[in-house]
Amino acid sequence: MPTAPFNIEQFHNCLLVTLRGKWDMATNIQYLAQLSESLKRRRGRPFHLLVDMRTWQIPKSDSFNQMKAPIKLDRRNQLSEVWLENEDTDADHIANKFFSEQRFSLTRTRDEQIFLAHSKTLVDEVVMTYIRSWIENDTFR
């Protein structure tokens, strides 16, 4: 069985998410289920969600966008979300659909240094050291 084109890990007060490749509905459902479980494990503790989605591609088809039941993720304790994208990332429809109702802000950038600089404003130095390593040692590229 091939490795899923995503990874979710928790480090201190952050969830670090890596998304890669071209997805289909099955991949999306698998990812959302794992993300939901990761959010539940936070057990009410505040967190930041940092996403490296360089080269991630998600279909924009009508059937993909019209899921039978809306997926509700528990983001009550989420403090921020930061996306690192590149020229291959096509996630405008996700940002427009899911972030208009959130009480935290979504920050998006294609620049790795801006991503790291913004992340540094959110976390302490121990976490920042780990985030730098996570970005630099990306095993999905």
Side-chain angles (χ1 to χ4, degrees), residues 104-132:
F104 58 86
S105 63
L106 169 64
T107 301
R108 299 171 68 182
T109 184
R110 289 184 176 181
D111 185 296
E112 190 174 303
Q113 294 310 311
I114 292 173
F115 178 86
L116 292 171
H118 184 74
S119 298
K120 188 174 183 174
T121 67
L122 304 173
V123 300
D124 64 32
E125 192 53 42
V126 170
V127 177
M128 197 59 225
T129 300
Y130 190 84
I131 291 170
R132 279 188 204 97

Side-chain angles (χ1 to χ4, degrees), residues 35-132:
L35 179 60
S36 178
E37 287 303 311
S38 296
L39 294 173
K40 286 177 188 172
R41 282 194 298 273
R42 292 294 310 157
R43 292 189 180 108
R45 294 175 310 220
F47 67 96
H48 302 281
L49 186 64
L50 305 175
V51 185
D52 178 357
M53 57 176 50
R54 293 171 287 180
T55 75
W56 180 56
Q57 297 174 2
I58 191 164
K60 285 188 181 179
S61 69
D62 288 340
S63 62
F64 194 86
N65 289 328
Q66 297 173 357
M67 297 182 87
K68 297 224 184 277
I71 294 182
K72 297 285 186 188
L73 297 174
D74 185 358
R75 295 175 176 259
R76 287 177 289 182
N77 295 301
Q78 187 170 343
L79 301 172
S80 67
E81 188 154 337
V82 186
W83 291 0
L84 177 58
E85 306 174 63
N86 70 5
E87 61 280 349
D88 295 325
T89 309
D90 186 12
D92 289 342
H93 58 295
I94 303 292
N96 295 337
K97 185 174 184 179
F98 295 107
F99 287 95
S100 61
E101 302 170 359
Q102 300 302 329
R103 63 171 185 76
F104 58 86
S105 63
L106 169 64
T107 301
R108 299 171 68 182
T109 184
R110 289 184 176 181
D111 185 296
E112 190 174 303
Q113 294 310 311
I114 292 173
F115 178 86
L116 292 171
H118 184 74
S119 298
K120 188 174 183 174
T121 67
L122 304 173
V123 300
D124 64 32
E125 192 53 42
V126 170
V127 177
M128 197 59 225
T129 300
Y130 190 84
I131 291 170
R132 279 188 204 97

Side-chain angles (χ1 to χ4, degrees), residues 26-40:
T27 307
N28 195 49
I29 290 169
Q30 182 184 10
Y31 164 70
L32 290 172
Q34 188 171 335
L35 179 60
S36 178
E37 287 303 311
S38 296
L39 294 173
K40 286 177 188 172

